[in-house]
Amino acid sequence: MKENLKIENEDKTKLSWKESWENIRMILGYYHRFTPFYFYIYTAYVFLVSFVWVATGSYSLKFIFDALEQRKSFQEIFLFLSLMSGLMIFRNIAGAYLVEYLEPTAHITMTEKLRAELFEKAAKMDLAYYETPKFYTDFVWAASQADVKCQQVLGAYMNFMARVSELLFLGGLMVALDPILILFALATAAVRLLCNSKLVKYRYQLDLKAKPIERERDYSQRIFYLSDYAKEIRLSDVHKILYQRFVSATQRMKEIYQKGGKKLAKISGISNIAQDFFLNCLILLYLAYEITIAHRITIGDFAALIGATNRFAARMRQLVDVMMSTTEAALYVEKFKKFLSYQPKIEGQDGVEPEEGIQPICLKNVSFTYEGETQPSLQQINMTIRPLEKIAIVGYNGAGKSTLIKLFMRLYDVTEGTIYLGNTDIRKIKTDSYRKKFGAVFQDFQIFAASLGENVAMDFIKEGEREKILEALCHSGMKEKVETFPKGIDTALTKEFQEDGQNLSGGEAQKTAIARVFLRPYQYVIMDEPSSALDPISEYNLNQNMLEIAKDKTVIFISHRLSTTCMADRIYMLEKGRIIEEGTHHELMELKGKYAEMFWKQAGKYQG
């Protein structure tokens, strides 16, 4: 198991320009693939805006001042201004079309595609990863930030293209008038680049420290408005604990950012002072010399160069900022890439097809230890389940029963030993094909905000499947309840999205979950505490239906309630991860061991 989960504990705080560009290119590839028209229109619009900005700004200033100095005709000035106005009108129309029409649908499309990729990846990850905090933090980060960061990357890229195109147009104008001024702007940009590179790195380090604490804070916050916890919160003082944890996490985050903010303020102050020195002092002195002493520039040139130089320097600073924000976004994209790079060892694994028919399941010297634990949950389990047998696995909490079921279903792989299906190690069998043989109801089953029929099918209801779903619900004891629903199996469960939805009781929810194993022609059925929420009569009816319907199946029961296990062909008693007793109900009662002790303790509750 520990070999399967090679998860890096160290996060990168700095990427090379090549790595940053590869991450940016990956996200731009999504836009190119999913929203190509929007992407190319946006790119063209950026160049249009840059051209219009330079033409209507610095170049217009030069033209107007020179025209006034040279006493050009009103008609020439009017035609020029009309042309500039036309350019601005066209730019504004194009911008409105892009921002108000194309952009919203493009962002929705991108979010849909990205979420689909994340959901698909998450659904295929091994269950073990979800018990690894590092993976879970990366997943939450990727899932919550992916679409926002993609928009940030696109915005940063387009800003970069805008700044570059503006600098090209402005630079061309400045080279034509006085190329020396470009050196002042480059010096300003160099200072900003150095300072901002430190700012970005340090901000990311702060976010990295704060993220696990933020997840802890968000958990406490989330619990207060989830219906699953509403009753316990109102009937106890547990909200005090949650609030205290929220306050504690918030305080720790505040301390992180307060401490880091001092360093950020110092770096930012140095950057701003240096920029003001180059721009406001040196450039103005140089231009004053050029016009008053050297007489190399005209009043129009002076007006154009003052505006162009300030704009050029501002755009250089913005270009540096964009490059830094792009680098910052690339660091977050690295998280997204890392999540997508996680490779499952079990889910979706290829292999041989399982043997036809119902085969025996054999466990040989099986042991299992959860990732990060030192004590094994199962030790040296040897068990053979014959075709069509009805097996019961019993034991107190923590005995290892549910862990054993997860191994049967290959949600985990054994740490030691081997599980065979027929003559084949299940690790060599194609995972999907192996799982299709098993139907399972877990102790911690879930009911989803979907229709009753979809909750049974765990899929869209296929043509010709409605009668089978109704039959499965009848076998699980839900017939009378379904008959009270006006929409039958199309009734929405939970009221989260529909006011006419139905909230099921614990027993009704369990019966719905049990109906899932009655629906499909599974060869092996696993029932993990199948009747824990049922009353005795419902439990008896369920057991009788299970015996009848599963007569041509292998059935594995896990139960605390030993009234369920009496019907089993064979019973295994687990304690501390080991099999301590094995036999029929009669044999184990004759043995007068732990099983018999558990049985009589439960029986005593009903004898008064």
Side-chain angles (χ1 to χ4, degrees), residues 45 48-49 51-53 55-56 78-98:
Y45 175 72
L48 171 66
V49 169
F51 175 75
V52 173
W53 179 72
T56 58
F78 177 78
L79 287 173
F80 176 81
L81 293 178
S82 297
L83 177 61
M84 294 300 104
S85 298
L87 284 174
M88 288 190 288
I89 291 170
F90 180 71
R91 178 199 63 188
N92 291 334
I93 292 173
Y97 174 73
L98 176 73

Side-chain angles (χ1 to χ4, degrees), residues 1-9 129 342 345 371:
M1 171 60 62
K2 293 181 180 179
E3 293 180 357
N4 289 346
L5 294 177
K6 294 182 179 178
I7 298 177
E8 296 179 10
N9 289 320
Y129 281 108
Y342 283 134
K345 304 295 182 181
E371 178 71 15

Side-chain angles (χ1 to χ4, degrees), residues 516-581:
R516 294 166 184 168
V517 300
F518 288 133
L519 180 63
R520 311 283 185 212
Y522 299 115
Q523 295 177 342
Y524 306 88
V525 173
I526 295 176
M527 307 288 278
D528 186 359
E529 298 290 350
S531 56
S532 59
L534 303 184
D535 59 77
I537 295 175
S538 296
E539 179 185 32
Y540 174 80
N541 292 334
L542 172 65
N543 290 340
Q544 295 304 309
N545 286 337
M546 178 60 70
L547 284 174
E548 176 62 27
I549 296 168
K551 59 187 178 184
D552 59 346
K553 307 176 189 295
T554 298
V555 181
I556 302 169
F557 284 97
I558 291 182
S559 182
H560 286 94
R561 290 161 68 160
L562 301 189
S563 56
T564 300
T565 65
C566 295
M567 65 183 187
D569 298 321
R570 202 142 40 96
I571 301 167
Y572 291 92
M573 178 81 181
L574 290 184
E575 185 176 78
K576 296 181 180 179
R578 295 181 181 273
I579 297 175
I580 59 171
E581 294 177 11

